[in-house]
Amino acid sequence: MHPNILYNDRICKADQKVLTPGQIGLLSGWGVFTPLRIYGGVPFAFERHWQRLARDAERLHVELPMSSDVARTNLLRLIGANDAREASMRLCIVRNQGGYWAGPGSGNASDLIALTNDLQGWDPPVALDVARHCRHAAASFTGTKTLS
């Protein structure tokens, strides 16, 4: 992982303590994520990823902490801070409020957390098979990228 992360609108050192135990999304996986590929310092297909993230967040009742324009600006700042011109990114929206174990957090309904990393090489290919038992395709969260 690169040395800096994005926490809402702040660039922080990755080893800086910015999360709190009361952030219910961290305790229970109540949040959404999307991976992004960075090409030439630009997140690929950002709007499409953000739209899916927004759809998934709505299904899980996770409020987006900012608009897509503000998020994109902040992500570009993170890319610059990490000099991550050719990299991968993980963008997470973590719910902070609600649930039995919710406690003092950032004061926001949810937080945006993003990290970047160098690209990794692919492992050797593997054979695929069809699973006889899998996730129910008609389930309400099928296709949702959740943190849990």
Side-chain angles (χ1 to χ4, degrees):
M1 187 170 79
H2 291 148
N4 300 296
I5 67 165
L6 177 67
Y7 183 68
N8 293 319
D9 59 355
R10 295 184 328 195
I11 303 291
C12 305
K13 293 295 179 190
D15 61 355
Q16 183 180 344
K17 310 299 185 245
V18 295
L19 306 175
T20 63
Q23 290 176 285
I24 193 66
L26 297 175
L27 293 174
S28 66
W30 199 347
V32 294
F33 78 95
T34 190
L36 292 160
R37 170 65 160 89
I38 311 303
Y39 288 99
V42 178
F44 177 75
F46 174 77
E47 283 302 324
R48 189 170 54 199
H49 286 276
W50 186 264
Q51 287 171 359
R52 186 186 66 238
L53 194 74
R55 180 202 69 215
D56 292 352
E58 183 177 0
R59 291 167 87 181
L60 290 169
H61 305 286
V62 176
E63 184 178 318
L64 294 179
M66 60 192 67
S67 71
S68 65
D69 290 338
V70 172
R72 180 197 304 260
T73 298
N74 289 338
L75 294 175
L76 290 172
R77 289 177 40 234
L78 175 64
I79 291 167
N82 284 332
D83 193 26
R85 298 194 47 75
E86 300 297 326
S88 60
M89 175 182 283
R90 183 171 175 101
L91 169 59
C92 302
I93 308 292
V94 177
R95 183 175 168 134
N96 288 331
Q97 300 169 348
Y100 182 73
W101 292 107
S106 67
N108 302 326
S110 61
D111 288 321
L112 182 147
I113 303 166
L115 0 139
T116 60
N117 202 354
D118 293 331
L119 298 173
Q120 304 295 315
W122 292 95
D123 289 332
V126 297
L128 298 179
D129 198 358
V130 176
R132 293 182 345 149
H133 302 285
C134 58
R135 182 180 282 173
H136 179 52
S140 58
F141 297 128
T142 298
T144 303
K145 292 185 173 184
T146 67
L147 295 178
S148 67

